[in-house]
Amino acid sequence: MKAKNIVLASLMTVIGLASCNSNLKPQASGLTSYVDQRIGSGGHGHVFVGANVPNGLVQAGPTQYTRGWDWCSGYHDSDSVLIGFGTMHLSGTGIGCLGDIALLPIDSAQQREVTFSHDDELMQPGYYSVQLLQPEVKVELTATPRVAFERYTADDSLMLRLDLTQCIGWDHMTECSYHQESPTLITGYRRSTGWAKDRSIYFAMEFSAPIRIEEGSTDTIAIMTPLTTMDEHPWAELLVKVALSPTSVDNAKANMQAELPHWDFDRAEGEAIEAWNHELSRISIKTDDEDVKKIFYTAMYHLMTAPSVFCDVNGDYRGADGKNYHGDFTNYTTFSLWDTYRAAHPLMTLIMPERQRDFAETFLHICEQQGDLPVWHLMGNETDCMVGNPGMVVLADLTMKGFVEDKQKALEAMKQTALRDDRSLGFLKQYGYIPYDVDPEPEAVAKALEYCLAEDGLARVAKELGADEDYQYFHERSRSYKKYFDPQTKFMRAPGTDGKFREPFNPFRAIHRADDYTEGNAWQYTWLVPHDVHGLVDLFGSEEAFIEKFDSLFIAEGDLGDEASPDISGLIGQYAHGNEPSHHVLYMYNYVGQPWKAAPLLRKVMTEMYTTQKDGLIGNEDVGQMSAWYVLSAVGLYQVEPVGGRFIIGSPIVDEARLDVGNKKAFTIRAINNNKENIYVQSARLNGKPYTKSYIDYRDIMAGGILELQMGKEPSDWGTAREDRP
């Protein structure tokens, strides 16, 4: 069907007078008062700005032109031009998409954009508003999981444009349609291709007053005369509900009726704020530093923006094969797994245990529908973005932590994924490693190391299930990282079919998408063995040799080159906190009995690379991963090994953190005598008993209790004994 460039305009029936209080920001309450959506809206944060509820499909917010990489979310603080208020967005990705099903107030049919001032924006979890300059219209947004609720307030005639061709970034409309079913209801759908190769979304758009769509060309405007004159009512409101469905128009209508049957905007906004306060309270912290509170709860907010619900209220959802299904679970989407397997998913297993079964079921059904576990899943589409098999990592972790009902089914899904021939896996089976000179795609080292850590998780599940043959095979494959280690240079390098490493070699150089590493260099990738840290240590010949090389990581200086990925940011020497392969690295000091070396580096990252400014994220938010690192590190924990749940103890920046771990239990971490100088753990007690280990197991956290960390100014011998190391 030919695309329709739709212009929808209306003058609304006057519902009532808007008081002067409508121009005031709703008062944030509870923990939402600490969330600042502006953090990460500048720089390279790429965060979503707008109104949503935790893990909602709808993320209603302003959409701008795509002017470059920093507009991946559809919004950047440097810009003051809008092309619509879209109902879906992405947060923190490196590729632009979504932003469609967007309304735009206009003055004339020819108008395609509006301007605004950031001083006229108001935002908090569950609510966004802006006063536009021309036309002079106030736009307010709130949301339920599947419905955007929009309020337009004007002192003159109001016109709205709906352009189904619009989107951001890579996305291009392939087919769309709309239909006015009644004077107050428009329904339709939009299909597009881009990052998601075949994306479909259906909508039902209901207005609080009758509207008329003018017939004619695709650029025509429809105007409806108000029932009362503007002289009688100088301010007027139009309310619009935009319900979405991945499966059908009828289900979009049903979603609207189930989630937003009323027309009380303030009530809906209050319920959205209440939902955020409930979710944010999953971790309660104590600190005298107001900036830490703001950074912490903004990070929690970013964490909970995705994964997004991707099913209707009746359980229908669009599968990875493009077919519609009915499920007895909540289906999710927006899985940036190469990023989020490292911290976001482990954190969610701690504070959102009730959602983990649904994540696992989503993964297993994706595998049934597309033939392997997800890599980077977006709106029912596999994008195959990034390297490795991160879906295997998350599923293995969920299996080992007890969230998977059918463990045998999970094992088979992981085996099916690992034994494919695409994405360089065939070379791994053929050679026992991925040679750089036969693979037509670059990034051999990054791919191989990611496959190794994923298959270690597979092997652990196989061992638990007594599948000894599978365990032996995949355990051996998970140790193939050793074939990439060059004992001469002591870096991970790419071997060829003859076993010789690629030459020339420069450990500092990074050529984006064209060398042996993914968004990094040899300095950063040499440590990507989180599943077998002690095995990596052995490759250096001794613990002392490992430590000497590891220490140098944080002081090494070199030129990454003009072709390096912009993701390589937040450098301390060659440690790059702005990108995920480095996120576990600081905690590796615990494995060699030197947790005191990690403490000042952890505090440096938390205080210098996370701030309250608009550029307060040192790298992409990456759909919650950057924020999850901060949340975990701020309370003093991090899961280095991707599977199994051994959390390393760091240097908490908050004085106390109470984690709601479900089943009416809480785990509390208290940092006694904690301040900017007292960054070193001196001793610890778990539930009142001395605790000497520099890590704690997942099951001990989920059992509830209290971990007390005595902090001091000087390094101590806590956690240094060999039996106390992870």
Side-chain angles (χ1 to χ4, degrees):
M1 181 178 295
K2 182 180 179 180
K4 297 183 179 180
N5 186 1
I6 304 162
V7 179
L8 165 64
S10 67
L11 273 177
M12 37 78 45
T13 304
V14 176
I15 301 172
L17 294 176
S19 70
C20 60
N21 287 334
S22 66
N23 290 319
L24 297 178
K25 180 180 180 179
Q27 291 299 306
S29 60
L31 297 177
T32 61
S33 63
Y34 294 111
V35 176
D36 186 353
Q37 288 192 46
R38 296 185 189 276
I39 296 175
S41 66
H44 303 311
H46 300 184
V47 300
F48 160 70
V49 169
N52 63 333
V53 294
N55 300 102
L57 171 64
V58 164
Q59 294 170 10
T63 302
Q64 301 168 341
Y65 290 114
T66 299
R67 304 187 192 275
W69 186 59
D70 283 327
W71 277 259
C72 287
S73 72
Y75 179 97
H76 194 265
D77 184 76
S78 64
D79 203 343
S80 58
V81 178
L82 300 179
I83 59 174
F85 293 91
T87 51
M88 296 179 294
H89 292 83
L90 292 172
S91 186
T93 63
I95 301 175
C97 198
L98 308 184
D100 50 337
I101 319 299
L103 292 174
L104 179 70
I106 53 175
D107 273 335
S108 68
Q110 290 71 39
Q111 188 172 352
R112 298 291 187 273
E113 61 186 42
V114 299
T115 59
F116 72 103
S117 168
H118 290 288
D119 293 336
D120 295 327
E121 285 183 296
L122 303 172
M123 56 189 76
Q124 67 182 58
Y127 175 84
Y128 172 88
S129 74
V130 63
Q131 178 68 47
L132 302 179
L133 298 178
Q134 187 178 2
E136 294 183 359
V137 176
K138 181 178 181 180
V139 181
E140 296 174 275
L141 308 174
T142 190
T144 70
R146 300 170 179 85
V147 187
F149 201 4
E150 308 176 5
R151 180 160 64 185
Y152 298 90
T153 308
D155 60 355
D156 201 348
S157 58
L158 178 66
M159 300 164 61
L160 293 173
R161 169 186 294 277
L162 170 66
D163 186 347
L164 293 179
T165 69
Q166 285 182 338
C167 201
I168 63 174
W170 292 15
D171 184 273
H172 299 281
M173 184 276 304
T174 57
E175 182 180 330
C176 66
S177 177
Y178 79 93
H179 172 63
Q180 184 168 4
E181 295 193 7
S182 76
T184 59
L185 180 65
I186 297 173
T187 59
Y189 71 91
R190 182 180 187 276
R191 294 185 67 181
S192 64
T193 187
W195 194 9
K197 296 302 181 186
D198 183 13
R199 183 167 70 88
S200 296
I201 196 72
Y202 297 83
F203 67 89
M205 189 177 293
E206 188 173 11
F207 298 81
S208 59
I211 59 134
R212 177 171 59 87
I213 300 176
E214 187 173 297
E215 298 296 335
S217 69
T218 57
D219 268 347
T220 56
I221 299 175
I223 297 177
M224 189 188 90
T225 305
L227 300 181
T228 56
T229 67
M230 285 294 178
D231 291 336
E232 288 182 59
H233 301 287
W235 284 91
E237 289 181 353
L238 177 66
L239 299 172
V240 187
K241 296 188 285 190
V242 185
L244 302 180
S245 166
T247 62
S248 70
V249 164
D250 286 342
N251 276 3
K253 295 178 187 177
N255 292 341
M256 183 188 299
Q257 182 59 35
E259 294 186 356
L260 195 61
H262 60 82
W263 286 97
D264 189 336
F265 184 92
D266 294 332
R267 171 186 163 187
E269 173 206 319
E271 291 171 348
I273 294 171
E274 182 181 356
W276 275 113
N277 273 319
H278 177 269
E279 292 300 298
L280 294 173
S281 69
R282 291 176 183 267
I283 303 182
S284 302
I285 63 170
K286 292 182 180 180
T287 175
D288 293 331
D289 192 325
E290 292 298 304
D291 282 351
V292 168
K293 291 179 183 177
K294 182 180 288 189
I295 296 168
F296 186 91
Y297 284 109
T298 302
M300 287 279 284
Y301 169 79
H302 287 148
L303 168 73
M304 296 170 175
T305 299
S308 303
V309 169
F310 194 60
C311 61
D312 299 314
V313 292
N314 66 358
D316 291 349
Y317 69 95
R318 186 176 192 261
D321 55 3
K323 300 176 182 178
N324 289 345
Y325 293 88
H326 180 78
D328 61 354
F329 64 99
T330 300
N331 189 66
Y332 284 90
T333 190
T334 316
F335 286 105
S336 181
L337 297 169
W338 183 85
D339 306 292
T340 57
Y341 82 75
R342 305 168 200 267
H345 278 282
L347 174 56
M348 287 188 281
T349 65
L350 293 176
I351 61 173
M352 305 175 193
E354 76 284 357
R355 291 196 183 131
Q356 305 312 306
R357 173 191 174 270
D358 290 330
F359 290 163
E361 287 295 320
T362 298
F363 282 26
L364 291 171
H365 284 82
I366 286 174
C367 186
E368 290 177 356
Q369 293 153 10
Q370 71 179 27
D372 60 353
L373 289 166
V375 177
W376 210 124
H377 235 255
L378 178 61
M379 302 294 159
N381 285 253
E382 180 57 77
T383 70
D384 276 327
C385 187
M386 309 308 290
V387 298
N389 270 325
M392 282 174 52
V393 181
V394 176
L395 184 59
D397 193 41
L398 293 178
T399 304
M400 296 297 290
K401 289 175 178 175
F403 292 112
V404 176
E405 295 178 0
D406 191 338
K407 294 184 178 181
Q408 188 62 41
K409 184 177 181 180
L411 176 62
E412 293 305 318
M414 287 186 278
K415 287 171 56 181
Q416 180 176 332
T417 301
L419 294 175
R420 291 170 63 96
D421 290 330
D422 58 348
R423 304 177 65 243
S424 305
L425 284 165
F427 298 120
L428 182 58
K429 289 192 293 185
Q430 181 179 354
Y431 294 96
Y433 62 99
I434 302 174
Y436 73 83
D437 53 355
V438 296
D439 193 346
E441 300 294 331
E443 306 175 308
V445 174
K447 287 187 285 191
L449 296 180
E450 292 285 355
Y451 285 140
C452 285
L453 64 88
E455 291 176 7
D456 176 79
L458 194 169
R460 294 186 187 209
V461 172
K463 185 175 183 179
E464 181 172 280
L465 297 182
D468 295 337
E469 186 174 340
D470 289 336
Y471 166 73
Q472 292 295 337
Y473 176 72
F474 288 107
H475 177 77
E476 181 178 349
R477 276 189 24 168
S478 75
R479 268 52 183 175
S480 65
Y481 71 85
K482 299 176 182 180
K483 298 178 181 179
Y484 300 85
F485 185 78
D486 176 9
Q488 300 301 316
T489 63
K490 293 182 171 55
F491 285 108
M492 291 291 181
R493 299 178 58 184
T497 51
D498 59 2
K500 296 180 180 179
F501 294 109
R502 186 200 294 269
E503 297 289 352
F505 172 68
N506 183 337
F508 293 97
R509 299 291 284 185
I511 303 176
H512 188 44
R513 297 283 189 265
D515 63 11
D516 297 323
Y517 310 94
T518 299
E519 298 177 2
N521 62 20
W523 270 108
Q524 289 134 27
Y525 268 88
T526 293
W527 321 104
L528 190 58
V529 191
H531 61 292
D532 187 26
V533 177
H534 293 295
L536 176 62
V537 171
D538 291 342
L539 291 180
F540 284 83
S542 69
E543 197 169 85
E544 291 74 21
F546 172 87
I547 293 171
E548 180 181 3
K549 182 77 169 186
F550 194 57
D551 287 344
S552 67
L553 169 68
F554 305 102
I555 58 174
E557 298 291 343
D559 182 12
L560 276 70
D562 295 336
E563 296 178 281
S565 168
D567 292 283
I568 308 174
S569 57
L571 291 173
I572 303 176
Q574 288 300 294
Y575 170 83
H577 190 75
N579 209 22
E580 279 66 28
S582 289
H583 275 191
H584 68 288
V585 168
L586 300 182
Y587 291 92
M588 293 174 73
Y589 271 122
N590 289 45
Y591 287 77
V592 291
Q594 295 188 342
W596 53 272
K597 282 188 178 178
L601 292 167
L602 289 168
R603 293 294 182 104
K604 179 179 178 68
V605 171
M606 284 187 273
T607 56
E608 297 181 10
M609 299 186 188
Y610 295 85
T611 74
T612 60
Q613 303 305 305
K614 296 174 184 177
D615 61 351
L617 291 170
I618 203 65
N620 287 1
E621 168 53 27
D622 282 320
V623 197
Q625 169 60 26
M626 191 68 67
S627 288
W629 187 97
Y630 182 88
V631 170
L632 280 170
S633 295
V635 306
L637 301 173
Y638 197 85
Q639 181 175 304
V640 170
E641 296 155 63
V643 173
R646 186 152 55 178
F647 284 82
I648 310 306
I649 298 172
S651 178
I653 202 170
V654 302
D655 300 332
E656 181 175 305
R658 181 185 183 277
L659 283 64
D660 180 355
V661 296
N663 294 319
K664 299 181 179 180
K665 295 179 181 180
F667 185 76
T668 300
I669 304 166
R670 291 178 183 151
I672 302 167
N673 295 328
N674 188 41
N675 56 44
K676 294 179 180 179
E677 290 75 35
N678 293 353
I679 65 175
Y680 301 101
V681 178
Q682 307 294 301
S683 62
R685 298 178 70 85
L686 179 61
N687 299 326
K689 298 179 180 179
Y691 192 78
T692 58
K693 293 180 173 60
S694 67
Y695 65 92
I696 184 169
D697 286 328
Y698 175 78
R699 63 178 179 274
D700 292 327
I701 297 174
M702 300 305 286
I706 300 174
L707 175 64
E708 296 174 295
L709 304 175
Q710 189 74 38
M711 309 301 290
K713 291 184 179 181
E714 301 296 332
S716 73
D717 62 358
W718 173 84
T720 60
R722 194 164 296 276
E723 63 271 17
D724 293 328
R725 307 175 189 180

